């Protein structure tokens, strides 16, 4: 079984491109800084982190483009995919990405607006007491990555 669940902070705003062809599709790439649980850096006692590349397609990619930004904490589930290519110098490069199936906000409304929030973006909210997540203001049903 190939399944991964990660919670971390976005290291930068998602980079989004659109595929060519009959049906254009959003391809959003972003990196999560995920703390290593229970392991601290030996030198200064700081938490160490892994930087995990994530790729979201289609409506999930559009959602990430619209609502995710640097510093935001998100929860992602998906599968690991490895691939390789030969770069311009002729060296083989190996890559590992998480192909996103589900993504959601992991911060409360107050935590999400920690100074990195720009004025033109809606502030996402997290789960309320009943375990369901509030949808940010300004989100239309057809803009969500699920039906």
């Amino acid at each position: 079984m190939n399944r991964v669940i990660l919670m971390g902070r976005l290291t930068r705003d998602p980079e989004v491109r659109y595929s060519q062809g009959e049906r254009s599709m959003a391809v959003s790439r972003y990196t999560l800084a995920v703390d290593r649980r229970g392991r601290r850096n030996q030198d200064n006692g700081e938490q160490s982190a892994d930087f995990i590349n994530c790729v979201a397609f289609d409506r999930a990619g559009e959602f990430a483009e619209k609502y995710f930004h640097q510093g935001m904490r998100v929860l992602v589930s998906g599968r690991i995919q490895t691939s390789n290519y030969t770069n311009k110098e002729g060296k083989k490069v190996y890559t590992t990405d998480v192909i996103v199936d589900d993504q959601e906000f992991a911060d409360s409304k107050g935590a999400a607006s920690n100074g990195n929030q720009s004025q033109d973006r809606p502030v996402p909210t997290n789960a309320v007491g009943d375990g369901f997540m509030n949808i940010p203001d300004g989100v239309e049903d057809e803009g969500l990555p699920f039906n």
Side-chain angles (χ1 to χ4, degrees), residues 83-136:
S83 61
N84 63 71
Y85 63 93
T86 303
N87 68 12
K88 293 177 183 176
E89 290 81 39
K91 292 195 173 207
K92 199 166 207 174
V93 177
Y94 295 91
T95 63
T96 302
D97 297 310
V98 171
I99 306 303
V100 175
D101 291 330
D102 297 302
Q103 57 191 0
E104 59 188 77
F105 307 111
D107 274 333
S108 66
K109 189 173 186 174
S113 59
N114 61 5
N116 293 342
Q117 188 75 20
S118 79
Q119 295 299 331
D120 59 342
R121 293 188 187 175
V123 178
T125 58
N126 195 11
V128 291
D130 58 5
F132 289 95
M133 188 172 130
N134 289 331
I135 298 173

